[in-house]
Amino acid sequence: MHPSESIVNILSIESSCDDTSAAVVQNGMPLSNIVFSQKIHEQYGGIVPEVASRDHQLKMVPVVERALAEASINFSQLHAIAFTRGPGLLGSLIVGTSFAKGLALSLDLPLIEVNHMQAHILAHFAEQPHPKFPFLCLTVSGGHTQIVNVTDHLDFELIGQTIDDAAGEAFDKSGKILGLGYPAGPKIDEIAQKGQPIFKFPEPQIAGFNFSFSGVKTAILYFIQKQLKEDPAFIHKNIENLCASIQHIIVKILINKFRKAIQQTGVKHIAIAGGVSANSSLRTALKKLGTEMNCSVHIPKFEYCTDNAAMIGVAGYYKFLKGEFASHNIEPLARYAL
Ligand code: KG4
Ligand code: ZN
């Protein structure tokens, strides 16, 4: 198969954290995108790495079979296998990497390694209209918060990032204080719809385009501890306003820093990516920011926000076009710079 031939089918595998996912992507557009989100971690209040890798092993084959069946594609119609090399949990990455290597070897197909954070951004190319270059992407997930200047499909310039916690972590840790379980981001989003941001938390003043969320988390913790001393039912009575206030400060920090980056770079196209881009308040705030800054705005469909293999297949497609294939002795990377 030569990149110039008209149809390119890529089977992609994602297993970097707690989602086992497989997709078939044809010429950069997903035909299927199967995601099995591990629920087993809820009882522990956070992801247990060893449990995650074991669950990936159990679910990988059925998830891949479904991705192929839903796309009506069989092994003989595939042109490459793409997989998440990192960043992520090493044990989880090993499962996806080993599976992808084994399959590529047995089908005699090229192997494509994908950086998970690049893939979150490239998820925008799974939908029309594609963002124009250069665009500025705010990537917000459970482990990362980045502002990236994207000048081409595979050209990324990191211009800002968190110096401590990620935005998703800020949601999850605040939610833990409120007793909302893991992951708390979607729950805070839902409960916040019924509340008002009446509790005020300070916005950190960090230089340049970097972020910090650990101070906010501590301010929320101390505030709640103080209130609980006066009224043990404080959380219960104020849960809606508390969620709205936490969401408000996190979104405010993200949007204010992103505005600064847009102003200083002069980029006219903006986007969000990663799990936290599913947040309804952030999505609304980004649209407003686009209007204010006269920029075109790109917000992914919900299924392309949180971890999924379609984005790995899209990224894989652009690497395929450039002939960027991996060798069979490639190893996963827990840390993998953008
Ligand atoms: O991108 P992702 O699925 O996994 C990582 O690569 O980390 O992001 C997961 C993060 C979690 O912190 C989760 O709480 C957060 O995304 N998240 C949300 C929402 N949906 C997922 N945070 C706020 N509001 C949401 N609706
Ligand atoms: Zn992710």
Side-chain angles (χ1 to χ4, degrees):
M1 175 74 204
H2 187 271
S4 64
E5 282 179 41
S6 56
I7 290 194
V8 178
N9 291 324
I10 295 180
L11 173 70
S12 52
I13 311 288
E14 155 65 33
S15 72
S16 64
C17 193
D18 58 344
D19 295 292
T20 315
S21 182
V24 176
V25 172
Q26 186 169 76
N27 291 354
M29 300 305 273
L31 297 181
S32 63
N33 184 29
I34 307 300
V35 183
F36 171 80
S37 295
Q38 302 177 353
K39 296 278 171 266
I40 192 161
H41 306 285
E42 281 173 8
Q43 57 188 301
Y44 305 111
I47 296 168
V48 183
E50 179 60 25
V51 173
S53 14
R54 284 171 193 272
D55 218 23
H56 284 304
Q57 279 185 317
L58 290 175
K59 300 301 180 326
M60 187 57 77
V61 172
V63 163
V64 167
E65 281 173 342
R66 259 191 71 197
L68 289 166
E70 235 175 63
S72 300
I73 292 285
N74 57 44
F75 283 141
S76 69
Q77 294 169 287
L78 294 176
H79 302 102
I81 310 289
F83 69 97
T84 306
R85 185 182 185 195
L89 302 170
L90 196 57
S92 293
L93 291 165
I94 287 173
V95 178
T97 305
S98 311
F99 183 86
K101 278 198 220 178
L103 196 60
L105 201 63
S106 66
L107 298 174
D108 195 21
L109 288 174
L111 194 58
I112 303 171
E113 57 97 3
V114 171
N115 179 310
H116 181 90
M117 300 313 295
Q118 293 185 0
H120 268 303
I121 298 173
L122 292 171
H124 283 283
F125 293 88
E127 296 178 80
Q128 297 284 2
H130 293 176
K132 292 197 178 75
F133 298 115
F135 68 94
L136 218 52
C137 188
L138 174 66
T139 315
V140 273
S141 71
H144 295 79
T145 303
Q146 302 176 331
I147 297 179
V148 183
N149 189 10
V150 188
T151 49
D152 203 349
H153 291 108
L154 298 173
D155 272 328
F156 307 90
E157 186 198 354
L158 181 65
I159 63 168
Q161 61 186 322
T162 182
I163 57 167
D164 41 54
D165 290 350
E169 245 174 316
F171 271 105
D172 294 337
K173 288 181 177 172
S174 307
K176 201 167 183 175
I177 300 169
L178 301 180
L180 292 179
Y182 181 89
K187 287 177 197 152
I188 291 181
D189 190 356
E190 194 191 325
I191 301 169
Q193 317 263 347
K194 296 180 224 130
Q196 292 298 324
I198 59 168
F199 305 113
K200 304 294 173 203
F201 301 108
E203 185 180 355
Q205 301 304 316
I206 307 293
F209 303 139
N210 286 340
F211 300 91
S212 167
F213 287 100
S214 72
V216 174
K217 173 197 66 192
T218 310
I220 293 167
L221 176 68
Y222 288 171
F223 171 74
I224 289 178
Q225 282 175 342
K226 188 166 168 267
Q227 298 299 323
L228 284 177
K229 274 194 195 134
E230 287 161 26
D231 178 4
F234 178 77
I235 293 179
H236 180 70
K237 287 180 192 161
N238 294 282
I239 188 74
E240 292 162 357
N241 290 339
L242 279 168
C243 287
S245 306
I246 291 166
Q247 179 168 273
H248 179 79
I249 184 66
I250 296 172
V251 170
K252 185 174 163 188
I253 294 169
L254 291 170
I255 290 290
N256 283 348
K257 203 43 82 86
F258 201 36
R259 179 188 292 106
K260 193 172 162 190
I262 298 164
Q263 273 164 347
Q264 293 196 16
T265 56
V267 167
K268 294 317 274 176
H269 310 286
I270 58 172
I272 43 173
V276 182
S277 63
N279 184 268
S280 53
S281 170
L282 181 60
R283 294 167 85 90
T284 308
L286 194 83
K287 283 183 204 149
K288 268 177 69 183
L289 185 64
T291 309
E292 178 196 325
M293 306 295 292
N294 201 16
C295 290
S296 77
V297 175
H298 295 268
I299 299 174
K301 270 204 311 205
F302 286 110
E303 70 168 307
Y304 301 137
C305 291
T306 43
D307 289 349
N308 68 88
M311 67 184 195
I312 305 302
V314 174
Y317 174 67
Y318 290 103
K319 292 191 121 181
F320 183 97
L321 293 181
K322 285 197 151 186
E324 287 186 22
F325 301 114
S327 85
H328 280 267
N329 53 19
I330 191 159
E331 286 176 358
L333 299 171
R335 287 168 168 269
Y336 192 0
L338 192 78

